[in-house]
Amino acid sequence: MEGLLAEESPLARLACVMVGLPARGKTYTARKITRYLTWLGHRSRIFNVGNYRREAVGAEKKADFFDPQNIEFSTQRAAVAENALNDMLEWLCKGSPHQVTSAALNSPSLGTPLGAGLAPYRQMSVAGAGVGGPSRIALYDATNSTKERRQFIYDRCCEANIKVFFVENICDDDNLIMHNIKEVKLTSPDYVGWETQDAINDFIKRIEHYAKSYESISADEFGGAISFVKIFNIGKQVIAISFYISRHGESMYNLEGKIGGNSNLSPQGISFAQKLQGVIETIQTASFLNYPKLQWKQLDELSSGSCDGLTYEEIEQRYPEDFMERDLDKFNYRYRGGESYRDLVHRLEPVILELERHKEEDPIYIIGHQAVVRAIYAYFHGISHEELPYIKIPLHTIIKLTPKAYHCLEERIVVDVPAVDTFRPKHH
Ligand code: F6P
């Protein structure tokens, strides 16, 4: 997907259209994609047709509402899906250089002038950002289970100059489907107040209705122009793995209020390091101690370039313009000769992929610097890039993160060694 975006970066607009029968993990996939893209600094939003349906015709619709042979209901469902599609196209075209006509959108374009409101100084040069703002990726979350429907979506997107990418979730594991129904569907607003077994039976009937007309994606759709991936049995390997993250022990630079550098630990920082093993032992098992230790260049602190070794006050005196600019847009501000938070998240991508791939029970503990820990923390909690650079990550505190399907659990273990507070709030 990054490739598709990079092609037209920094102004790429992409519709990612989900495909699949109900309870196949489409919403789970869409949320994961959105969280990842948001973390990378793109604008990403889900348009869930189920939500539009509930709003338009109410939540308490029985399985028959999804019968493709029922003309009245099919028409209602198509109208709801089209409303969601229109909203998606309108959102995608915001700030786009392609002035989309109201005919293409069925509603007026909300386009804004290129680069409006953005300072020209040291604009981003990395994928996903620049004059005009970051890329926009919409996730169209619905079954989209027939060729005809996909053709309709594709045509509408083409008219609006939007690239389209399809993601099909296929699941042939009955246990997994039942797990999805019980975990997600029965707790949805569609089944409030239903007896569990009645709700399960109704949902299975709904799936059967969709299955009647379901056509899996084939490579010859749109005359062979279709771009797609198929994901099989998503969620099958999801097990609850916890990650631990913390900053290093307090450093001399931390004490002196200086940024950057790789200065020595302060006496309190050394105390933290000494206590760490004992703390880890109590929170996990001794296996942690014999665990392989890796040093990763990717985990270096955000490079502050010419500001390295200065205090915030010194930076303000020497580079007042930069100092203000950073406060105005901390995620995108790039230090002279250094990095921005946006650069940092791109640098940390392999670390995140590694964590996502980690399927063993053995825990991973990452010790990093303030900005690095913020970026990793933000990924797991789905925190926006406006908020990311201001996340509070105190020294001498271990954060345990346990990602779940739709959220992330957190626990903080404060190690009993005092440390300075290096947090600097937004001033301007
Ligand atoms: O102060 C410690 C530190 O890790 C610095 O080296 C780094 O520049 C800074 O934190 C990052 O925090 P912020 O982005 O809030 O300045």
Side-chain angles (χ1 to χ4, degrees), residues 247 254 259-260 301 312 326 330 341 370 374 389 422:
R247 293 172 66 184
N254 291 153
I259 68 162
E301 179 56 313
Y312 289 119
R326 188 162 199 253
K330 198 172 171 191
Y341 270 90
Q370 178 160 243
R374 276 180 181 149
T422 60

Side-chain angles (χ1 to χ4, degrees), residues 247-248 251 253-254 257-262 301-304 307-310 312 315 326 330 335 341 368-372 374 388-391 395 421-425:
R247 293 172 66 184
H248 49 75
S251 70
Y253 263 26
N254 291 153
K258 293 178 179 171
I259 68 162
N262 258 328
E301 179 56 313
L302 179 140
S303 163
S304 42
C307 294
D308 193 280
L310 301 181
Y312 289 119
I315 300 172
R326 188 162 199 253
K330 198 172 171 191
Y335 277 110
Y341 270 90
H369 299 265
Q370 178 160 243
V372 169
R374 276 180 181 149
L388 184 157
Y390 295 100
I391 299 170
L395 285 160
D421 182 1
T422 60
F423 183 78
R424 185 186 167 272

Side-chain angles (χ1 to χ4, degrees), residues 53 60-77 191 194 201-210 212:
R53 165 179 53 78
E60 288 107 30
K61 289 289 172 204
K62 290 198 172 160
D64 291 346
F65 184 73
F66 302 90
D67 183 350
Q69 272 131 29
N70 184 314
I71 307 293
E72 187 196 335
F73 292 153
S74 296
T75 311
Q76 283 185 26
R77 284 191 293 112
Y191 292 109
W194 282 60
N201 293 344
D202 185 81
F203 200 81
I204 289 173
K205 232 172 124 189
R206 188 194 294 192
I207 296 176
E208 285 165 1
H209 279 315
Y210 276 104
K212 285 183 211 161

Side-chain angles (χ1 to χ4, degrees), residues 32-51:
K32 246 188 134 106
I33 293 173
T34 308
R35 185 158 60 89
Y36 179 64
L37 292 169
T38 302
W39 182 73
L40 284 175
H42 302 293
R43 286 195 198 286
S44 180
R45 189 166 143 187
I46 298 177
F47 292 81
N48 180 294
V49 175
N51 290 340

Side-chain angles (χ1 to χ4, degrees), residues 402-421:
T402 311
K404 298 279 177 186
Y406 292 130
H407 63 290
C408 180
L409 300 177
E410 172 175 339
E411 201 183 307
R412 290 196 176 206
I413 302 135
V414 179
V415 178
D416 187 20
V417 177
V420 288
D421 182 1

Side-chain angles (χ1 to χ4, degrees), residues 16 25 177 227 236:
C16 178
I177 294 169
S227 298
K236 192 163 183 175

